[in-house]
């Protein structure tokens, strides 16, 4: 067994056995255990190969990409990974913990406090970025990536530590000295003791504020019981101007004062309100901007109030005030206009008004969580979070735990309130685990393990029925690949609770249906469910429960090919439709990129258990088409330039900057572009065979067999590949994938001599020998131009040359009509009908329209599908003058003729044409004389081989 493990895994297994730093979840106030900086690569700690796997992958560090389309695309993403400011990603985490965000601006989109659904997915992108950095480091060994990982992990450790304790003052510079900052996204507010207002009938409130966000209804002051009885001073009302209001009968009974202009952001403004003798006045920067002489309500009328808050509203939907406070004073009298104007130049204590006699806070504290009252009444205030604090010290997120709590009682989807919190947790968990496996950073393992302990502490207490309901809710209950990540963590920690946690995500009705091979996918959200099944395969690895593996295997077969588009993608508008409906689901929002990413992951994981070549056929299709084509071919420092949807409608232009960036698909796109080599080679678990799954320029270092395998090719521009063995001698079987589309001419030579045997399309061709340094294996994989038909409309077709999906570049928005048989070769290859574009490999023209590989990441309008039109019978460019007849199912005479290809020569073709024509004439589908004309034309024409 040991001989079959990769070198680094052996080192890691030894490290674990020798005592990998224990996973520790420190009590509040005590830092977690683990090294404070990433260890060198040799110190990585990770799981060994699961015993259930009959083949295993190589590490990204063991396979080096050579020059070609993959390395070109990866280089663009690596540059993005090197240059993007990681403090922007950390901003939302630091804000949630009330820490300084170091002036960083959140990435925006789904990863911003103002993002879609109010930023309820924020934090997910940070996990993706950590995974990308980890893969980049493992692939290149560049220190810049491990340094960035260390920065991010260290910051997340500080965030978790801050979340464990009470919120602490974040001091900033104020108008007269120190002030307190309330970072947007921190959900922090100042809680004043009861009795601030007493039974006063006259009052003045005054505060210096520096708003950092333009959210409506953010409160500077809100004293009240609930949404019935209160008084408040808001920095902005619905019109964007300051408002003071008081009521004892809810919003409809408010007596108020509204300003005339919005407060400037990131600048200090002075707000004051006086209320006396039925008149209220609102001042902004010392100037009266509103007066109401019909204000009959006073603090005395309201009576004792339960809450006295600065920065928080009694209306739960209102935002917490974001910005800074300096000086808040309350007087039991109405200050004069002159007294209020004087407050602009000096502190209240140094002004004619003096400190507030009811409450006076300078907010000049630089630490702790309490604020001294200088009024003489001893009303010490406390800094608090609206949500209190985490239920377990392992909690780590970029938003409060409230989303997780609320999900437990939800009965229907509402992602504006709760948007996939466990999905977001998965991305963070996966990123931390990948960081640990790549660098050996014990802090990352501690954070990941703590997250799982926190999840277990919540989920293990819930009834089974509650869990089943949660995981069945669209979007809100989505949990992504969390089961896979937890199983991978369990393989490192061996903690029983982690495996128990993984099983708490079982969605039994889906698992049981798929295990029984009952297709229930119609109407389901595709990417919510695909990663579930990769997790089930890993659960099978950890538990041996057969239904998990059976369900995953059957599920894959329900998607591929029954819900698969030509490029390998699936879903329309994120959802699945009925089985075998392809033409009927094509639209602008087909083929969500995340779905392709997750189906590739599931395909390779299933292959570890059963070496069905169909999994790798699918892998090649999707990798060489959708995944490559989802990355734009240009650099960008701010965005990864990856598609969300890939519309397959005629003339669609790919959008590489969807929804302002930071979507799920841009996250998985970053990962895809830094692991292109992950499935080029696999090894049999016993080390006796090497699988070559993809023909890709690369070098494999197979340390335990003492050999390197260098694959030199320009595939798919080149129709084949050359593999050179170097290093020592070793005996093993070389298993070369024969693509299912390689129906003729696949050949293998070793050192120039043909290897006997008959390659079978859709299988592996095996060469077994004792390999020596310098042995050269040449694989010839001839391409043919072929079409693939939509199962529900055979006239709607996609064009392939070998593995490459060729798409038309044309701005028209109607389906192109194309004929392809006119110059078909005796082999059945349709390529002679197309004209090559000089100097541009894999580019062709047909009737003046350019066709190019889908993988090219351009913004050209494309046609992935076209309408097949063969109106007349033409052979070798010679028109018979006979209309091409069709059967009721749409099959034409030419379809049946060319279905007999390849032909050994022209005579064989003519013989087949004669037999086909006779059958159609006998069936009344073709006239006798027309049939003879078809045969004469076939005999007269010239054909390419």
């Amino acid at each position: 067994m040991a001989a079959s493990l990769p070198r680094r895994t052996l080192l890691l297994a030894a490290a674990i056995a020798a005592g990998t730093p224990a996973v520790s979840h420190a009590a509040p106030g005590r830092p977690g255990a683990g090294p404070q900086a990433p260890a060198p690569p040799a110190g990585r700690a990770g799981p060994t190969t699961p015993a259930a796997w009959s083949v295993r992958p190589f590490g990204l560090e063991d396979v080096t990409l050579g020059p070609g389309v993959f390395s070109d695309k990866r280089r663009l993403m690596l540059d993005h990974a090197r240059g993007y400011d990681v403090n922007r990603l950390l901003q939302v985490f630091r804000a949630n913990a009330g820490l300084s965000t170091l002036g960083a601006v959140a990435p925006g989109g789904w990863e911003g406090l103002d993002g879609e659904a109010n930023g309820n997915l924020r934090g997910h992108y940070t996990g993706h970025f950590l995974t990308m950095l980890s893969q980049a480091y493992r692939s290149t060994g560049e220190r810049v990536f491990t340094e960035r990982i260390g920065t991010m992990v260290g910051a997340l450790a500080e965030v978790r530590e801050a979340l464990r304790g009470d919120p602490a003052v974040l001091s900033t510079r104020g108008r007269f000295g120190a002030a307190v900052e309330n970072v947007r996204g921190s959900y922090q507010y100042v809680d004043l003791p009861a009795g601030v207002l007493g039974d006063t009938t006259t009052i003045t409130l005054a505060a210096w504020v520096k708003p950092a966000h333009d959210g409506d209804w953010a409160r500077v002051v809100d004293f009240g019981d609930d949404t019935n009885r209160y008084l408040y001073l808001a920095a902005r009302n619905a019109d964007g101007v300051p408002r003071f209001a008081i009521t004892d009968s809810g919003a409809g009974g408010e007596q108020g004062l509204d300003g005339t202009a919005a407060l400037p952001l990131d600048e200090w403004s002075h707000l004051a309100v006086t209320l006396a003798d039925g008149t209220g006045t609102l001042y902004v920067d010392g100037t009266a901007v509103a007066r109401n002489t019909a204000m009959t309500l006073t603090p005395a009328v309201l009576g004792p109030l339960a809450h006295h808050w600065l920065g928080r509203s009694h209306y739960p939907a209102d935002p917490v005030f974001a910005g800074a406070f300096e000086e808040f004073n309350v007087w039991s009298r109405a200050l004069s206009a002159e007294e209020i104007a004087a407050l602009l130049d000096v502190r209240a204590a140094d002004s004619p008004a003096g400190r507030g006699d009811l409450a006076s806070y300078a907010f000049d504290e630089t630490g702790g969580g309490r604020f001294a009252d200088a009024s003489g009444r001893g009303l010490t205030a406390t800094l608090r979070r609206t949500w209190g604090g985490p239920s377990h010290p392992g909690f780590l997120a970029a938003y409060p735990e409230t989303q997780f709590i609320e999900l437990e009682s939800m009965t229907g989807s509402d992602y504006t309130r709760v948007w996939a919190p466990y999905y977001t947790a998965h991305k963070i968990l996966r990123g931390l685990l990948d960081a640990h496996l790549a660098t050996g950073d014990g802090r990352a393992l501690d954070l990941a393990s703590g997250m799982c302990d926190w999840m277990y502490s919540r989920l293990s207490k819930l009834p089974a029925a509650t869990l089943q309901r949660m995981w069945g809710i669209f979007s809100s209950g989505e949990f992504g690949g969390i089961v896979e990540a937890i199983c991978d963590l369990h393989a490192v920690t061996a903690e029983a609770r982690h495996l128990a946690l993984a099983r708490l995500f079982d969605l039994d009705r889906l698992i049981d249906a798929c295990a029984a091979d009952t297709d229930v996918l119609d109407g389901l959200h595709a990417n919510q469910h695909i990663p579930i099944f990769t997790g089930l395969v890993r659960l099978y690895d950890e538990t041996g429960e057969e239904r998990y593996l059976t369900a995953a295997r059957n599920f894959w077969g329900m998607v591929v090919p029954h819900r698969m588009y030509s490029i390998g993608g699936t879903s329309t508008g994120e959802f699945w439709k009925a089985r075998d409906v392809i033409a009927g689901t094509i639209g602008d929002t087909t083929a969500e990129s995340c779905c392709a990413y997750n189906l590739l992951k599931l395909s390779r994981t299933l292959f570890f258990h059963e070496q069905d070549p169909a999994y790798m056929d699918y892998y090649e299709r999707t990798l060489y088409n959708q995944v490559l084509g989802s990355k734009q071919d240009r650099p960008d420092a701010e965005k990864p330039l990856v598609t969300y949807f890939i519309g397959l409608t005629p003339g669609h232009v790919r959008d590489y900057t969807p929804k302002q960036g930071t979507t799920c698909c841009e996250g998985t796109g970053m990962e895809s572009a830094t692991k292109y080599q992950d499935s080029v080679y696999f090894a049999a678990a016993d080390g006796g065979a090497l699988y070559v799954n993809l023909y890709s320029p690369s070098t494999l270092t197979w340390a335990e067999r003492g050999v390197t395998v260098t694959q030199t090719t320009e595939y798919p521009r080149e129709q084949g590949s050359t593999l050179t063995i170097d290093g020592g001698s070793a005996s093993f079987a070389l298993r070369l994938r024969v693509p299912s589309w390689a129906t003729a001419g696949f050949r293998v030579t070793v050192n120039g001599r043909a290897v006997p045997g008959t390659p079978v399309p859709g299988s592996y061709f095996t060469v077994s020998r004792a390999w020596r340094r310098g042995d050269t294996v040449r694989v010839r994989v001839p391409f043919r131009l072929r079409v693939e038909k939509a199962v529900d409309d055979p006239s709607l077709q996609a064009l392939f040359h070998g593995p490459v999906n060729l798409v038309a570049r044309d701005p028209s928005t109607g389906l192109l009509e194309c004929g392809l048989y006119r110059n078909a070769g005796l082999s059945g290859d349709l390529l002679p009908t197309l004209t090559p574009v000089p100097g541009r490999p894999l580019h062709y023209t047909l009737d003046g329209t350019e066709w190019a590989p889908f993988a090219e990441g351009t913004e050209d309008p494309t046609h992935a599908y076209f309408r097949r039109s063969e109106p007349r019978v033409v052979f070798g460019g010679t028109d018979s003058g006979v209309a091409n007849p069709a059967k009721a199912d749409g099959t034409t005479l030419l379809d049946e003729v060319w279905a007999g290809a390849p032909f050994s020569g022209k005579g064989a073709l003519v013989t087949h044409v004669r037999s086909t024509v006779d059958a159609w004439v006998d069936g009344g589908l073709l006239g006798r004389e027309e049939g003879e004309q078809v045969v004469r034309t076939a005999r007269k024409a010239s054909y390419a081989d």
Side-chain angles (χ1 to χ4, degrees):
M1 179 67 179
S4 70
L5 294 176
R7 176 177 58 86
R8 285 195 171 93
T9 301
L10 286 170
L11 288 170
L12 304 179
I16 293 171
T20 299
V23 178
S24 168
H25 312 300
R30 187 173 72 83
Q36 295 306 301
R44 294 176 184 151
T48 58
T49 302
W53 290 3
S54 48
V55 302
R56 58 164 179 78
F58 289 93
L60 296 177
E61 61 274 8
D62 298 320
V63 183
T64 303
L65 284 178
V69 61
F70 289 111
S71 60
D72 289 345
K73 296 263 190 181
R74 186 182 70 171
R75 181 173 60 254
L76 294 171
M77 195 61 78
L78 292 179
D79 286 345
H80 176 71
R82 293 183 188 100
Y84 192 83
D85 181 6
V86 296
N87 285 309
R88 295 188 62 191
L89 299 167
L90 295 166
Q91 195 267 2
V92 291
F93 284 89
R94 286 169 167 152
N96 187 45
L99 299 174
S100 171
T101 59
L102 307 181
V105 177
W110 289 4
E111 196 64 24
L113 299 170
D114 303 316
E116 193 166 321
N118 300 316
N120 284 345
L121 211 65
R122 62 184 181 270
H124 83 290
Y125 202 69
T126 298
H128 284 299
F129 208 90
L130 270 172
T131 292
M132 173 180 65
L133 292 176
S134 301
Q135 292 175 171
Y137 176 55
R138 292 183 65 184
S139 295
T140 68
E142 291 183 29
R143 186 171 179 82
V144 63
F145 298 123
T146 190
E147 288 174 344
R148 309 199 103 206
I149 291 168
T151 296
M152 294 180 72
V153 170
L156 292 175
E158 292 173 359
V159 165
R160 186 181 70 174
E161 191 62 29
L163 288 171
R164 288 174 167 181
D166 294 328
V169 168
L170 183 60
S171 183
T172 188
R173 185 169 182 173
R175 285 271 291 146
F176 305 113
V180 61
E181 183 176 4
N182 199 29
V183 177
R184 183 158 184 266
S186 66
Y187 295 89
Q188 293 180 172
Y189 68 100
V190 180
D191 187 15
L192 277 56
V196 174
L197 301 179
D199 58 358
T200 183
T201 58
T202 59
I203 191 174
T204 299
L205 305 171
W208 280 102
V209 295
K210 184 180 181 182
H213 176 61
D214 59 1
D216 294 345
W217 298 115
R219 303 293 202 261
V220 176
V221 179
D222 197 331
F223 295 169
D225 287 339
D226 45 35
T227 57
N228 247 353
R229 200 163 60 110
Y230 53 77
L231 65 83
Y232 69 76
L233 174 60
R236 292 172 60 92
N237 64 6
D239 296 322
V241 298
R243 174 174 172 80
F244 172 81
I246 183 169
T247 182
D248 61 359
S249 56
E254 286 186 0
Q255 299 175 2
L257 299 160
D258 293 305
T260 57
L263 300 183
L265 296 182
D266 300 315
E267 294 181 20
W268 286 102
S269 295
H270 189 265
L271 294 177
V273 174
T274 62
L275 184 60
D277 301 324
T279 297
T281 308
L282 173 65
Y283 295 84
V284 177
D285 291 331
T287 299
V289 296
R291 179 169 285 109
N292 184 345
T293 59
M295 299 187 71
T296 60
L297 295 175
T298 68
V301 173
L302 295 185
L305 299 173
H307 308 125
H308 299 78
W309 296 334
L310 304 184
R312 179 180 180 181
S313 170
H314 279 87
Y315 287 85
D318 290 344
V320 175
F321 178 82
F325 290 101
E326 183 181 24
E327 284 218 303
F328 172 68
N329 285 276
V330 184
W331 291 268
S332 60
R333 64 186 181 88
L335 299 188
S336 67
E338 292 75 18
E339 287 177 309
I340 289 175
L343 293 174
L344 299 182
D345 300 317
V346 294
R347 290 181 179 272
D350 301 322
S351 76
R355 295 188 178 96
D357 61 311
L358 295 181
S360 180
Y361 301 94
F363 294 122
D364 55 7
E365 288 83 358
T366 58
R370 294 182 178 275
F371 304 100
D373 170 34
S375 70
R377 301 177 67 198
L379 299 177
T380 302
T382 305
L383 187 64
R384 302 191 191 280
R385 300 189 188 98
T386 60
W387 57 285
S391 62
H392 183 281
F395 174 75
L396 176 63
Y399 47 66
E401 196 175 358
T402 48
Q403 276 209 60
F404 299 91
I405 297 168
E406 195 169 353
L407 175 62
E408 295 169 6
S409 61
M410 289 180 70
T411 57
S413 175
D414 182 357
Y415 78 100
T416 63
R417 287 194 300 126
V418 177
W419 191 11
Y422 284 96
Y423 174 95
T424 304
H426 159 242
K427 300 307 176 187
I428 300 167
L429 172 64
R430 181 80 258 176
L432 289 167
L433 182 57
D434 288 340
H436 169 68
L437 295 175
T439 68
D441 192 331
R443 298 170 302 174
L445 179 60
D446 185 51
L447 290 167
S449 191
M451 286 185 70
C452 287
D453 288 349
W454 155 70
M455 283 187 276
Y456 183 73
S457 75
R458 290 209 68 85
L459 298 178
S460 63
K461 295 179 175 65
L462 297 178
T466 299
L467 294 173
Q468 295 299 312
R469 173 175 47 77
M470 285 166 57
W471 308 143
I473 298 175
F474 159 64
S475 193
S476 299
E478 183 175 357
F479 55 77
I482 200 165
V483 175
E484 177 196 11
I486 295 169
C487 287
D488 288 351
L489 178 70
H490 172 257
V492 177
T493 67
E495 293 285 357
R497 64 182 176 276
H498 293 162
L499 184 56
L501 170 64
R503 302 189 74 156
L504 292 175
F505 289 91
D506 281 3
L507 182 56
D508 288 331
R509 68 174 182 270
L510 178 66
I511 298 171
D512 292 341
C514 290
D517 206 15
T518 302
D519 191 330
V520 295
L521 304 189
D522 187 4
L524 292 184
H525 183 262
N527 197 53
Q528 180 166 346
H529 293 89
I530 298 169
I532 290 176
F533 290 91
T534 307
L536 294 183
V537 180
R538 289 292 291 115
L539 264 178
Y540 167 77
D541 296 337
E542 299 296 309
T543 68
E545 189 168 328
E546 285 288 344
R547 75 168 184 141
Y548 290 140
L549 182 60
T550 301
R553 184 189 297 117
N554 291 343
F555 165 80
W556 190 90
M558 295 171 192
V559 179
V560 181
H562 300 289
R563 293 177 172 88
M564 180 191 75
Y565 299 109
S566 59
I567 57 175
T570 188
S571 79
T572 180
E574 298 194 3
F575 289 83
W576 282 309
K577 303 300 182 182
R579 185 183 180 107
D580 292 327
V581 178
I582 299 300
T585 60
I586 288 174
D588 289 332
T589 58
T590 40
E592 183 186 355
S593 294
C594 274
C595 295
Y597 163 91
N598 279 310
L599 275 173
L600 288 187
K601 183 174 283 192
L602 176 60
S603 299
R604 76 192 295 266
T605 306
L606 286 169
F607 191 90
F608 297 155
H609 297 83
E610 180 183 5
Q611 287 70 65
D612 184 345
Y615 294 134
M616 286 298 114
D617 271 346
Y618 174 79
Y619 205 98
E620 178 186 64
R621 172 194 296 269
T622 308
L623 181 66
Y624 279 84
N625 293 292
Q626 173 156 359
V627 171
L628 279 180
S630 68
K631 173 71 185 87
Q632 191 171 18
D633 296 331
R634 71 175 180 85
D636 192 285
E638 290 300 306
K639 295 182 177 67
L641 298 183
V642 176
T643 59
Y644 190 111
F645 296 117
I646 295 181
L648 299 178
T649 51
H652 183 82
V653 177
R654 281 172 236 172
D655 178 8
Y656 296 96
T657 57
K659 297 180 183 289
Q660 302 172 312
T662 66
T663 64
C664 53
C665 292
E666 286 161 300
T668 54
M670 293 190 301
E671 295 185 31
S672 291
T674 49
K675 63 168 186 175
Y676 289 135
Q677 75 271 39
D678 75 341
S679 296
V680 176
Y681 309 98
F682 294 151
D686 62 3
L690 178 68
Y691 289 78
V692 180
N693 304 308
L694 302 172
Y695 299 107
S696 175
S698 54
T699 298
L700 165 68
T701 301
W702 196 4
E704 53 275 17
R705 300 312 307 269
V707 298
T708 61
V709 179
T710 300
Q711 190 174 170
T712 306
T713 181
E714 293 186 4
Y715 188 94
R717 294 182 176 182
E718 177 184 352
Q719 298 182 25
S721 185
T722 301
L723 294 92
T724 303
I725 313 298
D726 206 344
S729 300
S731 296
F732 57 87
L734 187 64
R735 294 182 178 158
L736 304 163
R737 189 175 65 86
V738 185
S740 58
W741 48 262
T743 54
F746 188 96
R747 296 289 183 269
V748 179
T749 63
V750 175
N751 299 331
R753 295 185 177 182
V755 178
T758 303
V760 177
S763 70
Y764 281 82
F765 184 78
T766 301
V767 183
S768 297
R769 59 183 275 135
W771 300 93
R772 293 181 174 82
R773 175 180 294 181
D775 281 347
T776 300
V777 180
R778 176 63 189 164
V779 183
R780 183 172 178 267
V781 192
F783 293 3
R784 292 175 56 244
L785 190 72
R786 69 188 194 283
V787 296
E788 290 189 359
K789 303 175 182 178
V791 67
D792 53 330
D793 181 358
S795 70
L796 192 70
Q797 301 180 357
L799 195 61
F800 279 83
H801 190 223
V804 178
N805 185 195
L806 296 175
V807 294
R809 290 180 175 171
D810 190 288
S812 65
T813 56
L815 281 169
L816 300 178
E817 292 192 354
C818 300
L820 297 168
Y821 287 138
R822 71 189 76 162
N823 285 307
L826 293 172
S827 66
D829 193 352
L830 303 173
L831 189 62
T833 299
L834 275 61
T835 302
V837 177
R840 303 191 72 190
L842 297 175
H843 284 243
Y844 304 90
T845 59
L846 175 63
D847 298 331
T849 297
E850 182 181 14
W851 293 72
F854 184 92
E856 293 184 357
T858 71
E859 293 179 302
D860 294 296
T862 60
H863 294 244
Y865 285 93
F866 62 93
R867 183 74 68 194
R868 186 67 173 272
S869 177
E870 305 280 357
R872 301 166 73 85
V873 177
V874 180
F875 290 108
T878 302
D879 191 338
S880 70
V882 176
N884 183 25
K887 294 181 177 179
D889 64 358
T891 302
T892 70
L893 174 67
L894 284 175
D895 289 336
E896 285 204 356
V897 167
W898 289 107
F903 302 104
S904 59
K906 179 176 177 179
L909 167 62
V910 173
T911 298
H912 182 66
V913 171
R914 164 58 68 189
S915 63
T916 304
V917 164
D918 288 347
W920 280 61
V921 170
D922 292 344
L925 299 169
L926 183 66
R928 177 67 62 184
E929 181 52 38
E930 292 173 319
E932 291 303 318
Q933 179 62 24
V934 169
V935 175
R936 285 194 294 270
T937 303
R939 186 179 294 118
K940 181 173 61 175
S942 298
Y943 304 91
D945 291 337

